[in-house]
Amino acid sequence: MKKLRDVFKEIENKGQTSGISTGFTLLDNDLLSMRPGDLIVIGSRPGVGKTALGLNLFLNGVRNSNLPGYFYHLSETEGETVSKMVGNHMHFNRNAKGHSIIDAKDFLNDSPIYLSTEYRLKEIVNELRVEGKSHQIGIVVFDTFQSILDFNKNITTHDSATFISKELKRLAKELNCIIILTSEMNSESEKRIYKSPRLDGLMNDGSLADDASAVLLLYRDEIYNPETTKDRGVMEIIIAKNKRNNPSNIKIDCSLLDICVLDNF
């Protein structure tokens, strides 16, 4: 048993009293920022922007914390991921000096960013635990949850998904870091008149929604109503679960997520 004052000291020493900015003011206001120990899920149908948002939160997390970040790019090649990171940093600095490809590469080379294509859960956990012993980890992103699930099915899909999400939740707490998972949504929303995703639409999620600190579901009306939409170039982020605040909806300009793929960098 611990005295309350000792618990306060531990929390302060771990830096859990303050969060890391997502880089988006409206999202920070509703999430109360990203915090060590969080497991954040980003869900959407294909092509809506979950990888783009995940990469933005990752790079903004590294920029705003100065702590190492680990990006598991399980759905793209290493070249595609690096190209998007370079494009993101160029866009981030578009109104300031240092926005060229060379400047972006120099910044990323000097940043504590690590890339991996490992998809085996046991190896992922062991790898991060080893890294966590040598330095504090800031943020970890897995793109996508289904890519991990495909290679770690031991029992039923539901039970395997539940085991993975609980293991990653424990890891976020153990390493005192932020873990973000992107996740596909099932096609049920496509059958409804209103196509906005719902929490029960996470694909093969097991207990993912229950284990998550926050679940962000993405929707772009222009994909489904290109002729009539009033939200062209807008992404709606439906915060379907938020352990620190009420569920809410926010809208952001898709240009803020601009990640160009550079052919020659």
Side-chain angles (χ1 to χ4, degrees), residues 130-154:
V130 169
E131 294 293 312
K133 288 180 180 178
S134 63
H135 53 253
Q136 176 62 51
I137 296 173
I139 188 167
V140 181
V141 173
F142 296 97
D143 184 38
T144 63
F145 177 67
Q146 283 71 31
S147 297
I148 301 176
L149 180 60
D150 286 343
F151 290 95
N152 292 276
K153 288 182 181 177
N154 298 317

Side-chain angles (χ1 to χ4, degrees), residues 121-134:
L121 183 64
K122 183 177 179 179
E123 281 68 20
I124 288 171
V125 171
N126 289 339
E127 181 177 73
L128 290 172
R129 279 178 174 155
V130 169
E131 294 293 312
K133 288 180 180 178
S134 63

Side-chain angles (χ1 to χ4, degrees), residues 8-234:
F8 279 136
K9 286 182 180 179
E10 288 181 6
I11 291 174
E12 290 171 357
N13 290 336
K14 290 181 178 181
Q16 291 179 338
T17 55
S18 60
I20 298 173
S21 173
T22 64
F24 302 96
T25 302
L26 292 177
L27 191 55
D28 282 340
N29 290 343
D30 283 11
L31 285 183
L32 304 180
S33 301
M34 302 182 291
R35 302 198 179 191
D38 278 352
L39 176 64
I40 299 172
V41 176
I42 303 173
S44 79
R45 292 290 294 154
V48 175
K50 59 185 172 294
T51 297
L53 182 59
L55 191 55
N56 268 269
L57 298 189
F58 173 78
L59 292 173
N60 288 334
V62 172
R63 292 184 189 110
N64 294 326
S65 70
N66 293 316
L67 292 174
Y70 294 76
F71 195 92
Y72 288 78
H73 53 106
L74 309 176
S75 62
E76 295 185 324
T77 67
E78 191 171 81
E80 289 172 325
T81 301
V82 172
S83 174
K84 288 182 177 181
M85 287 184 175
V86 172
N88 174 277
H89 191 71
M90 290 173 63
H91 183 75
F92 180 79
N93 279 344
R94 63 194 179 281
N95 296 322
K97 292 182 179 179
H99 62 277
S100 69
I101 291 179
I102 294 175
D103 292 322
K105 288 175 66 177
D106 287 343
F107 170 81
L108 293 170
N109 279 332
D110 293 336
S111 297
I113 292 174
Y114 301 85
L115 302 180
S116 177
T117 56
E118 181 59 70
Y119 49 75
R120 294 166 296 178
L121 183 64
K122 183 177 179 179
E123 281 68 20
I124 288 171
V125 171
N126 289 339
E127 181 177 73
L128 290 172
R129 279 178 174 155
V130 169
E131 294 293 312
K133 288 180 180 178
S134 63
H135 53 253
Q136 176 62 51
I137 296 173
I139 188 167
V140 181
V141 173
F142 296 97
D143 184 38
T144 63
F145 177 67
Q146 283 71 31
S147 297
I148 301 176
L149 180 60
D150 286 343
F151 290 95
N152 292 276
K153 288 182 181 177
N154 298 317
I155 324 170
T156 66
T157 298
H158 180 275
D159 289 343
S160 296
T162 295
F163 176 79
I164 292 168
S165 66
K166 290 190 179 302
E167 188 72 5
L168 294 179
K169 180 181 180 179
R170 281 193 292 267
L171 190 64
K173 301 291 185 184
E174 176 187 332
L175 300 180
N176 195 41
C177 69
I178 299 158
I179 291 182
I180 296 176
L181 284 167
T182 66
S183 177
E184 298 285 354
M185 305 290 294
N186 64 37
S187 61
E188 288 304 307
S189 63
E190 309 282 342
K191 303 173 185 178
R192 300 195 299 265
I193 296 175
Y194 299 103
K195 311 296 185 184
S196 296
R198 299 191 307 215
L199 199 57
D200 59 5
L202 290 170
M203 184 181 292
N204 299 328
D205 67 322
S207 64
L208 182 58
D210 292 333
D211 294 331
S213 307
V215 180
L216 315 181
L217 306 180
L218 312 184
Y219 175 73
R220 291 175 61 186
D221 191 60
E222 64 183 330
I223 292 177
Y224 299 100
N225 303 295
E227 303 299 327
T228 60
T229 185
K230 296 180 180 179
D231 285 334
R232 194 170 303 281
V234 171

